[in-house]
Amino acid sequence: RWVSGRKFRGPTARARSRPVEGRTCMRPLASALDLASAQKALEGKVSSYDFEFHERVWHCQAEPLYGAERRVVGTIGFALDVTRLKLVERDLRENILPFWVRHVPDETNGGFLGYLAGDLTVDPTAPKGGVLNARIPWTFAAAVRRYGEAVQREMADRAFSYLLNHF
């Protein structure tokens, strides 16, 4: 995290840094600190941004620092290493969700397959469980809220319709 006064010149000595892979995070934070975000914080607005440094992805947020009488006296902010989160999101978007779109819809009976083996062998007689059919619309609805892709909307609608009509 960092703190600055009204005349923003970057993080002050009051900011604490913690070791990250043998380095501290203050140097990359200070060098990548978005001055526009700091200016917004000085104007009383919260802003955030991501940046990459040494193969890591950092999410930063700058907020107004209030003093007496609720006046903005500086900025306060933080940087959070979100590298793993970004990798998981990429896997979700590029592998997991597309797999379900390609392989799991039941084009014969509607809804989604009740069983799909590791070698992609389908058992068309497998029962379609309520838990699975409740998780599919939830998952794709969450993906639509996060990423807004049309194919995710189609899957969420298909799954919700099947859930309402068959369970």
Side-chain angles (χ1 to χ4, degrees), residues 32-152:
L33 189 57
D34 182 73
L35 294 178
S37 292
Q39 185 59 44
K40 286 179 187 176
L42 290 172
E43 294 167 1
K45 300 173 189 157
V46 176
S47 64
S48 62
Y49 58 95
D50 291 348
F51 75 95
E52 293 185 32
F53 184 82
H54 287 274
E55 300 178 11
R56 309 299 293 174
V57 180
W58 297 88
H59 176 78
C60 294
Q61 184 164 319
E63 299 185 14
L65 177 64
Y66 293 98
E69 300 174 12
R70 244 354 235 150
R71 289 188 41 227
V72 176
V73 296
T75 65
I76 187 165
F78 68 89
L80 180 65
D81 184 347
V82 293
T83 306
R84 286 188 182 155
L85 174 64
K86 296 292 184 178
L87 292 172
V88 169
E89 279 192 334
R90 185 173 67 204
D91 191 37
L92 177 67
R93 292 183 78 183
E94 294 177 6
N95 297 310
I96 297 168
L97 293 175
F99 175 87
W100 279 79
V101 169
R102 278 192 309 274
H103 299 290
V104 185
D106 184 344
E107 300 300 343
T108 304
N109 302 308
F112 297 87
L113 299 172
Y115 177 82
L116 183 66
D119 64 357
L120 302 183
T121 303
V122 174
D123 179 358
T125 64
K128 297 181 179 190
V131 172
L132 175 64
N133 279 277
R135 288 181 176 173
I136 294 171
W138 182 89
T139 299
F140 279 98
V144 169
R145 283 191 307 275
R146 178 96 176 158
Y147 310 116
E149 295 179 12
V151 68
Q152 296 163 352

Side-chain angles (χ1 to χ4, degrees), residues 1-16 26 29 33 38 42 61 63-66 73-78:
R1 68 190 168 153
W2 72 85
V3 179
S4 77
R6 293 262 334 140
K7 294 182 179 178
F8 184 78
R9 287 182 234 100
T12 68
R14 288 182 282 170
R16 294 184 183 149
M26 284 312 299
L29 178 60
L33 189 57
L42 290 172
Q61 184 164 319
E63 299 185 14
L65 177 64
Y66 293 98
V73 296
T75 65
I76 187 165
F78 68 89

